[in-house]
Amino acid sequence: MHRTTRLSLCLLLAALAPLFPSQARADSAIYGGGPFYSGGTTVIDDLRASGFTTVMLWSVHVQSNGDLYLNDKLIVSNGGYVGDSGWPSRLTRLRTAPTSVTRIELSVGSAGATDFENIKALINSQGTGSDSILYRNFQALKNATGANAVNFDDESAYDLASATAFGKMLYDSLGLAITFAPYTQVTFWKTLKANLGDRVDGVYLQVYDGGAGNDPKSRPTAWASPSIRACGADTAATAPAATARPASTVA
């Protein structure tokens, strides 16, 4: 997903792999960057009333020393949350009734970023144990955001060993589900899904720019995913209108 500031609407298309019939659901998600961090309660309340069920905090970038940024804002360093002190409470409000939002995901990576290269180097040097900087920083980020899942938007590294280790750390040790945001390299993503198994509960398939030729309805078995969501570029980065509607489910 490109790093330009924009929102992307991801529509769940109910294109389910035969192995996961119980996981069909009507759902919708929205990617957002700066406004979701610095827009205050006005943006949070717009999201609560929007009809979207998943909010994607986009993009989390992993530095070579393990520091975590949300776009250009440092939010986690040395195992501690160092971002806007009001953000955690705003994210708690996001899922406080009345609200349509039931899930928060942390999107890691984007086009032109070296996040997964940095993840690979950190795992090679420190591993993924509880004393590693990746573990400590993602634990701090989970605690601050209340996130349910981490979205893998790897568009350059495509390293199976480190991506598998990272996913297992997030799910097995930190209780974070995994989703993917692929647009190419089907073999990589299919193998990664096989490596991670049920830790992966969905795919946001990019159907714009480099992924413009992707068709979610024809790819559920190719992407080996319990559910395929089509992800397309949308509007400029402003708070979604309170009248925004959730996606319709299509067969």
Side-chain angles (χ1 to χ4, degrees), residues 81-95:
Y81 176 73
V82 296
D84 180 350
S85 61
W87 196 40
S89 64
R90 292 195 295 274
L91 292 176
T92 297
R93 178 181 178 87
L94 178 62
R95 291 192 293 183

Side-chain angles (χ1 to χ4, degrees), residues 23-206:
Q23 292 186 315
R25 63 185 185 219
D27 205 353
S28 59
I30 187 167
Y31 281 74
F36 291 2
Y37 179 72
S38 59
T41 57
T42 299
V43 170
I44 295 300
D45 287 346
D46 280 345
L47 288 169
R48 292 168 71 211
S50 68
F52 292 111
T53 56
T54 297
V55 167
M56 192 77 68
L57 303 178
W58 173 62
S59 298
V60 175
H61 295 300
V62 181
Q63 305 301 299
S64 60
N65 66 351
D67 283 355
L68 303 181
Y69 281 69
L70 184 69
N71 298 313
D72 61 350
K73 305 292 186 184
L74 177 64
I75 53 175
V76 176
S77 183
N78 196 30
Y81 176 73
V82 296
D84 180 350
S85 61
W87 196 40
S89 64
R90 292 195 295 274
L91 292 176
T92 297
R93 178 181 178 87
L94 178 62
R95 291 192 293 183
T96 300
T99 183
S100 62
V101 178
T102 60
R103 179 175 170 115
I104 293 173
E105 297 193 31
L106 307 167
S107 182
V108 175
S110 68
T114 59
D115 303 305
F116 281 87
E117 286 85 352
N118 292 336
I119 288 167
K120 176 182 177 180
L122 289 166
I123 289 174
N124 286 344
S125 64
Q126 299 184 18
T128 58
S130 59
D131 58 344
S132 69
I133 195 62
L134 273 179
Y135 182 104
R136 293 164 55 218
N137 281 356
F138 273 91
Q139 181 178 52
L141 187 56
K142 177 190 176 182
N143 292 343
T145 61
N148 306 94
V150 174
N151 176 245
F152 285 22
D153 189 9
D154 182 3
E155 302 192 17
S156 58
Y158 298 120
D159 181 72
L160 278 169
S162 58
T164 299
F166 184 48
K168 288 181 176 180
M169 180 199 79
L170 293 170
Y171 186 93
D172 297 350
S173 300
L174 297 178
L176 290 161
I178 308 301
T179 62
F180 298 156
Y183 75 95
T184 188
Q185 298 287 337
V186 176
T187 299
F188 168 82
W189 292 107
K190 185 175 181 178
T191 306
L192 183 59
K193 170 62 176 69
N195 290 352
L196 294 176
D198 290 343
R199 299 173 181 87
V200 181
D201 67 7
V203 169
Y204 299 86
L205 180 62
Q206 295 185 42

